[in-house]
Amino acid sequence: MARYFSLLLLLRLLLLDVVRAAALDLFADSDIPAIQLLNSSSLHLAADDKVTVKPNPIDGRVEEYYYFERPPDSKDKDETVIIRTSLGIAHISEDHGANWKPLTTKDIVAIYPHAYNPNYVYLITSTAQILASTNRGKNFDTLKTPTEPNKAGAQIITFHKDHPDWLIWHGQMDCSKLPQGQECLVETHYSTNNGQKWNPLLSGVKRQCMFAVGLQKSTDENLIFCEQASGTVVQLVSSTDYFKTEKVQFKDIIAFAVQDDFLIVAAVDSDRTGLRMDVSIDGDKFAQAKWPPMFDVKHTQAYTILDTSTKAIVLHVTVNGEQKTEFGTILKSNSNGTSYVTSIENANRNYFGFVDFEKMQGIEGISIVNIVSNPGDTDKKLRSKITFDDGASWQYLQPPPVDSRGDSTGCTAADEQCSLNLHGYTERVDVRDTYSSASAVGLMIGVGNVGSSLTKYGEGNTYLTSDGGATWKELAKGTYMWEYGDQGSIIVLVEHLVPTNKLTYTFNEGKTWEELTFSDDVVQVSDISTVPSDTSRKFLIHAKPDQSDGDKTLLIQVDFTGTTDVMCKLNEKDSSHDDFDLWTPQRPGTSDKCLFGHQIEYHRKVPDRMCYIGDKVPQPHSKIVNCQCTRLDYECDENYYLANDGSCQLVEGYSPPDHSEKCRQMPSLVEYFEPTGYRRIPLSTCVDGAKLDGIIPHACPGHEKESENLHRGIHGFGLFLLIVLPFGMAAVVAYVLYNHYYGQYGQIRLGETDFDMRIGLGTDNGLLKYPIIAVSAVIALFSALPGIAQQLFTSWRGRTSRPSRLYRGRNGMDPFHLNRTNSSGRYQYAPVVVEDARALHDGDTVFGSSDEDSDDDFAHVVPQDARDIDRATPSSPQLSAAPSSPPFEPGTPPSPSSPTDLLPVSPTHSPSNPDR
């Protein structure tokens, strides 16, 4: 009761502060500028004069492009972009495509931006030399390499996370003396001075060597892992002395990847009848993943790591790999990545193993997936679903009740018969064209339709959500490409599939739209791009002249910087004088704003303010509140399934998981809990409330005394404080009431008046004094009694096998806390004390077996973007299983019928797409 009394008092004082602040505002400076509201007429006049367009024709077809994203502390203001054409010529622009210059006439076959340093870039030639720049392409040095680049489809250069000058070169072996039909493998060299000098590393490499640094536990900075051919199999070997000595970690693997905190290995079972996945956090000890009950990964299947950014691995396992009818099950791990439960079945994938799964950038735990609603049929029917709890539950996308013309869609609620469906990852031409952007918080755009299933792409319309996927609206009839600018304050649409010379844009999240003619003649637009962080107000349209013969590209810069020179104000101390609102994502159908056990607020520009954001706004806002735990903070544990009533039930014929294994995996763990069927969602930071995952504790071997101390209850001086503190708190409440009573309604009192004395409110009058003392004593007594009873009961129960109500994590630590953890800015806040002790970040990789047309027993690792980008540094957040690949011919882009094996790259460090 005292707590509620204190809370009411604090709310009253806060109200008084607000009243006082409002009163002071009446006397504030009167020259505050009026809010500039957007309307289509005023915007159109400004746009005609101030949006500039500059076209640049270039010979050849653009095969790849890369933006030099500026580091957060950079003083440079350039927006540099580099491209490679089908003629083997590299061009560079330092002003986002307004002006271009050729870099060289050499035969450039690939552009390799540094995976960890945005200022480094390498131009790969077909000969034994490369061009390297360490200053964002301002200067290039010609460097000799020990061999020509490999033609086996392997990564050409891999990088060190902490030392930008440390490189591994994957070159071509001298295969002239090999017997006919024998595979030509890769020869690797390393350099510690950015290619000035190369030293031999390892021969006979199948696909790649990588520095294994940046794992959750620190490793030797020289630790390197390689896939080495050994007879008919590939083994995983490691070394810390550049392979003067080596250690065989696995004798038969499919592939491996270093994904942020984890090293993940796809291996073959000893009897070669199935696949297994092993994970390491230190590059030395590996733990095997455990699949759900009755779920077996056969050798005819494949699995794809979709996401690791939310403290758990999200994994797709192919159930049906028959061509054109492929689908599988999405599994989700616990926080150490070893124990999996089913998240959603029948998730769509394509021939290459890429999956219709995409997370919302910038907001934790929201993802969209397409499922096959008619599994087994030859003609797939797809439907879209969304999760707001990191895959613990899924629901259909809410359809807009009316379309962009104001006509009814005939679909008012998302159900089995009708919902919004969006074309997903497997149909995307450029995988960088994601639904969302980390800097445009809460916004997603996609092409799709309202109905019982997804129709053909060309029959779709374009949709937008501005509240994180809770509700959607139709932006336009037809299919459009989109791009975000200035952190979402500008959205640009260009019509897709048909020739056009117009683009449509909005400054207010789609409330009003304007049209701009960017070319006198219609052109075929293939892409629209901007800097990966989406902070620029400039865009680059990639187009082909509609009537042109041969390979020609028209690069058209559209510049919105002239539309306003007013920079948005961000004033966290005075929200009435800034241009941003604080927005909190919310799960549809719930009244609170708790997601994953906490509330997070994000800065979002007020749509009707005509200003530009400029520098990247730190996200999320620092105001974070942990919520009490509820059922929504838990998912089903290993060997349990989600029943129709929402409870977690034990799978028939299976036993509960053995949680005592955690003691062996984590020697510092004090105690473990008997399984209840529930486990906390790894991302949740909830406190108190429902504790569904820890009912009966047991001491880990060797920690019996520590476990006993956790449940002894309070005694001695602690019990004394428990009794005395409530009385002290009540006294403080009385004192505050007594001293602040006269401050109500914002009045300032300098002393007592005669009127106060007459009505009994003077300092010596018992009319107020003694009742407050009496009430305080009663409050203190009644607030102390429950605590005393609880602690006495806890002290008794601590001597039995029952658990203590004192909350402890499974490792004996305090509950989750939030802290700024990821310098990349994608997920700025995350639990730093994880119950199951191991966290994952943004690791997205796909492993698997070959399909029936493959010539190999098991397929290679192929990036999601292999269909349209022929460089070996993918920007994709997925890497997929695929049939075996033909030899890589430099300068020849892969096609859907001939995928190229490329290196897994974490999307956090994706050189082409670091923020998306």
Side-chain angles (χ1 to χ4, degrees):
M1 183 175 178
R3 296 174 182 174
Y4 299 122
F5 199 73
S6 302
L7 179 60
L8 290 174
L9 176 62
L10 290 174
L11 290 174
R12 172 184 174 276
L13 294 177
L14 288 173
L15 179 61
L16 292 179
D17 288 340
V18 172
V19 173
R20 292 190 184 100
L24 290 175
D25 284 345
L26 295 176
F27 301 96
D29 295 338
S30 59
D31 58 350
I32 299 173
I35 297 175
Q36 301 183 37
L37 298 177
L38 299 185
N39 59 76
S40 67
S41 60
S42 63
L43 278 182
H44 190 71
L45 292 174
D48 284 346
D49 298 331
K50 298 182 179 180
V51 179
T52 61
V53 176
K54 186 171 183 182
N56 283 285
I58 291 179
D59 290 333
R61 182 180 64 255
V62 174
E63 297 287 353
E64 59 178 322
Y65 66 87
Y66 163 70
Y67 282 91
F68 289 84
E69 188 69 271
R70 291 194 302 269
D73 57 350
S74 173
K75 296 181 180 180
D76 294 326
K77 297 300 180 183
D78 66 287
E79 294 182 358
T80 301
V81 58
I82 186 171
I83 66 172
R84 179 180 63 83
T85 70
S86 56
L87 302 178
I89 307 299
H91 302 258
I92 193 168
S93 171
E94 295 183 357
D95 51 13
H96 205 134
N99 298 281
W100 294 88
K101 63 179 180 181
L103 285 175
T104 176
T105 59
K106 294 181 181 295
D107 182 22
I108 306 300
V109 299
I111 298 175
Y112 265 70
H114 199 290
Y116 306 106
N117 190 312
N119 296 322
Y120 283 49
V121 66
Y122 304 86
L123 305 183
I124 310 299
T125 73
S126 58
T127 64
Q129 66 177 17
I130 59 175
L131 284 79
S133 174
T134 60
N135 56 6
R136 304 173 62 80
K138 292 180 174 63
N139 303 104
F140 281 86
D141 296 324
T142 301
L143 305 175
K144 291 184 178 181
T145 56
T147 64
E148 295 179 1
N150 75 86
K151 297 180 176 64
Q155 178 83 324
I156 297 175
I157 304 178
T158 55
F159 307 93
H160 196 287
K161 187 174 183 179
D162 300 325
H163 299 283
D165 290 341
W166 291 18
L167 313 173
I168 298 178
W169 174 262
H170 296 68
Q172 184 66 44
M173 288 183 62
D174 181 5
C175 304
S176 59
K177 298 180 180 179
L178 289 179
Q180 186 175 3
Q182 184 171 334
E183 182 181 10
C184 188
L185 299 172
V186 175
E187 185 174 339
T188 60
H189 292 73
Y190 73 94
S191 173
T192 57
N193 55 10
N194 199 35
Q196 298 292 332
K197 180 183 178 182
W198 297 94
N199 303 291
L201 183 64
L202 190 65
S203 294
V205 172
K206 177 69 173 179
R207 282 178 292 271
Q208 64 176 332
C209 291
M210 296 182 69
F211 290 104
V213 293
L215 302 181
Q216 188 171 27
K217 287 189 175 181
S218 60
T219 62
D220 190 304
E221 64 179 3
N222 297 308
L223 179 61
I224 296 174
F225 276 77
C226 291
E227 299 172 359
Q228 186 178 40
S230 176
T232 60
V233 300
V234 177
Q235 61 185 13
L236 184 64
V237 295
S238 65
S239 176
T240 57
D241 57 8
Y242 299 104
F243 288 95
K244 294 180 177 64
T245 60
E246 67 178 48
K247 178 180 180 181
V248 177
Q249 299 281 0
F250 290 86
K251 293 183 178 180
D252 194 354
I253 73 165
I254 303 167
F256 83 100
V258 177
Q259 299 292 329
D260 293 310
D261 288 355
F262 277 71
L263 193 154
I264 304 171
V265 179
V268 183
D269 283 344
S270 57
D271 57 2
R272 295 190 62 82
T273 61
L275 306 180
R276 55 178 287 178
M277 189 175 79
D278 291 78
V279 181
S280 175
I281 61 171
D282 59 6
D284 183 31
K285 299 179 179 65
F286 288 82
Q288 183 177 352
K290 297 179 181 179
W291 308 124
M294 298 178 291
F295 196 92
D296 189 19
V297 184
K298 298 296 185 182
H299 72 280
T300 56
Q301 295 173 325
Y303 51 91
T304 303
I305 299 174
L306 301 172
D307 183 32
T308 58
S309 65
T310 55
K311 312 302 175 186
I313 296 177
V314 181
L315 180 76
H316 179 276
V317 180
T318 299
V319 173
N320 176 30
E322 186 176 348
Q323 193 171 352
K324 296 184 179 181
T325 64
E326 305 92 344
F327 62 87
T329 300
I330 292 180
L331 309 177
K332 184 187 172 189
S333 78
N334 59 351
S335 57
N336 62 11
T338 59
S339 174
Y340 290 79
V341 296
T342 298
S343 175
I344 188 170
E345 296 180 332
N346 303 327
N348 182 53
R349 57 151 280 191
N350 64 10
Y351 173 74
F352 300 98
F354 309 137
V355 181
D356 271 345
F357 172 93
E358 186 174 325
K359 61 186 177 184
M360 183 173 192
Q361 305 298 325
I363 299 181
E364 49 199 10
I366 299 177
S367 301
I368 293 178
V369 66
N370 280 345
I371 63 167
V372 179
S373 60
N374 59 336
D377 291 355
T378 56
D379 182 21
K380 282 186 187 179
K381 293 188 180 300
L382 304 182
R383 298 199 66 182
S384 298
K385 283 193 169 184
I386 189 170
T387 178
F388 296 93
D389 51 17
D390 199 27
S393 63
W394 297 82
Q395 60 193 67
Y396 293 115
L397 271 65
Q398 183 67 32
V402 296
D403 63 12
S404 54
R405 298 170 182 167
D407 299 329
S408 173
T409 62
C411 186
T412 58
D415 54 30
E416 292 292 337
Q417 285 72 42
C418 187
S419 61
L420 175 64
N421 305 292
L422 300 176
H423 292 273
Y425 208 96
T426 60
E427 298 180 78
R428 199 160 290 157
V429 176
D430 188 338
V431 297
R432 291 172 286 190
D433 298 331
T434 52
Y435 294 138
S436 60
S437 167
S439 65
V441 177
L443 302 179
M444 283 192 284
I445 301 176
V447 171
N449 63 279
V450 173
S452 59
S453 63
L454 190 63
T455 60
K456 295 180 179 179
Y457 180 85
E459 300 173 356
N461 301 312
T462 307
Y463 297 85
L464 165 76
T465 178
S466 58
D467 55 12
T471 61
W472 295 77
K473 68 178 180 180
E474 184 182 287
L475 286 182
K477 294 293 183 183
T479 60
Y480 285 80
M481 292 177 285
W482 62 89
E483 190 58 88
Y484 303 97
D486 195 35
Q487 301 175 63
S489 73
I490 306 173
I491 301 175
V492 173
L493 299 181
V494 179
E495 197 166 5
H496 198 196
L497 301 180
V498 297
T500 184
N501 63 348
K502 299 181 184 299
L503 64 80
T504 309
Y505 63 92
T506 178
F507 291 150
N508 53 13
E509 296 182 2
K511 292 182 180 179
T512 58
W513 291 87
E514 293 300 323
E515 191 175 81
L516 175 73
T517 300
F518 59 79
S519 173
D520 293 334
D521 301 318
V522 294
V523 295
Q524 187 69 53
V525 177
S526 61
D527 201 359
I528 179 170
S529 64
T530 187
V531 296
S533 60
D534 296 323
T535 55
S536 175
R537 290 189 284 169
K538 299 176 183 178
F539 300 84
L540 196 60
I541 295 175
H542 306 241
K544 177 180 174 137
D546 192 43
Q547 303 299 326
S548 68
D549 296 327
D551 286 339
K552 287 187 179 294
T553 299
L554 189 61
L555 296 174
I556 306 170
Q557 186 204 66
V558 181
D559 186 356
F560 288 88
T561 56
T563 57
T564 180
D565 59 359
V566 178
M567 191 171 184
C568 299
K569 296 179 181 178
L570 176 58
N571 187 345
E572 295 186 356
K573 296 182 180 179
D574 185 3
S575 60
S576 63
H577 290 162
D578 76 354
D579 297 300
F580 293 85
D581 282 334
L582 287 175
W583 173 74
T584 298
Q586 183 175 355
R587 181 200 304 267
T590 60
S591 57
D592 61 40
K593 294 186 177 181
C594 289
L595 285 176
F596 303 107
H598 53 265
Q599 296 180 11
I600 298 184
E601 293 180 324
Y602 296 86
H603 290 292
R604 295 197 356 174
K605 186 180 84 72
V606 178
D608 292 332
R609 303 289 171 84
M610 188 57 184
C611 58
Y612 74 95
I613 300 175
D615 294 336
K616 195 168 184 179
V617 175
Q619 298 284 15
H621 176 55
S622 59
K623 184 178 181 181
I624 299 180
V625 179
N626 282 332
C627 309
Q628 283 198 339
C629 297
T630 68
R631 171 65 180 88
L632 297 176
D633 294 294
Y634 296 89
E635 60 189 4
C636 294
D637 201 354
E638 180 186 356
N639 291 352
Y640 289 82
Y641 70 96
L642 184 64
N644 292 333
D645 61 358
S647 65
C648 294
Q649 302 293 330
L650 185 65
V651 175
E652 185 177 355
Y654 280 78
S655 301
D658 183 7
H659 286 177
S660 66
E661 281 290 306
K662 299 180 186 298
C663 298
R664 182 184 61 81
Q665 297 171 2
M666 295 177 287
S668 61
L669 197 65
V670 173
E671 61 184 19
Y672 67 94
F673 291 89
E674 286 188 10
T676 63
Y678 300 88
R679 68 187 187 195
R680 173 125 63 151
I681 295 175
L683 195 62
S684 176
T685 62
C686 67
V687 294
D688 302 325
K691 195 172 190 306
L692 304 182
D693 61 340
I695 304 301
I696 302 178
H698 296 277
C700 287
H703 294 278
E704 289 79 6
K705 188 65 176 178
E706 296 169 81
S707 178
E708 180 182 349
N709 290 337
L710 289 176
H711 306 289
R712 289 178 58 191
I714 194 168
H715 61 284
F717 183 67
L719 187 61
F720 170 76
L721 289 179
L722 182 66
I723 297 173
V724 172
L725 283 179
F727 287 94
M729 183 179 69
V732 171
V733 171
Y735 177 79
V736 172
L737 280 174
Y738 181 69
N739 284 279
H740 290 272
Y741 183 85
Y742 307 105
Q744 62 181 339
Y745 308 117
Q747 300 176 7
I748 301 175
R749 304 215 177 231
L750 301 179
E752 297 167 350
T753 65
D754 292 338
F755 179 74
D756 295 329
M757 300 299 293
R758 286 197 299 272
I759 65 172
L761 298 180
T763 55
D764 295 326
N765 196 297
L767 184 62
L768 179 64
K769 179 178 181 180
Y770 295 113
I772 287 179
I773 295 174
V775 170
S776 300
V778 172
I779 290 173
L781 177 61
F782 278 93
S783 63
L785 286 176
I788 295 171
Q790 171 185 318
Q791 295 306 325
L792 290 175
F793 178 70
T794 298
S795 297
W796 167 79
R797 186 174 55 182
R799 293 176 173 83
T800 71
S801 61
R802 296 189 176 189
S804 168
R805 291 189 61 183
L806 292 174
Y807 180 85
R808 285 282 180 173
R810 293 180 185 175
N811 54 5
M813 298 181 182
D814 292 332
F816 286 77
H817 300 286
L818 294 172
N819 191 23
R820 190 173 293 268
T821 58
N822 190 334
S823 60
S824 70
R826 298 186 61 188
Y827 291 94
Q828 292 288 323
Y829 289 86
V832 295
V833 181
V834 183
E835 279 194 321
D836 286 329
R838 298 297 174 252
L840 292 157
H841 299 288
D842 286 343
D844 308 323
T845 308
V846 180
F847 305 105
S849 68
S850 60
D851 292 304
E852 58 184 359
D853 294 332
S854 173
D855 295 329
D856 294 341
D857 289 335
F858 294 92
H860 305 155
V861 179
V862 184
Q864 180 97 18
D865 59 354
R867 296 178 300 166
D868 54 88
I869 299 176
D870 68 334
R871 58 185 167 80
T873 309
S875 60
S876 163
Q878 293 184 23
L879 296 177
S880 174
S884 58
S885 305
F888 174 64
E889 295 295 338
T892 303
S895 65
S897 60
S898 59
T900 299
D901 299 340
L902 302 179
L903 171 73
V905 174
S906 164
T908 300
H909 305 296
S910 172
S912 296
N913 203 13
D915 288 315
R916 290 175 57 188

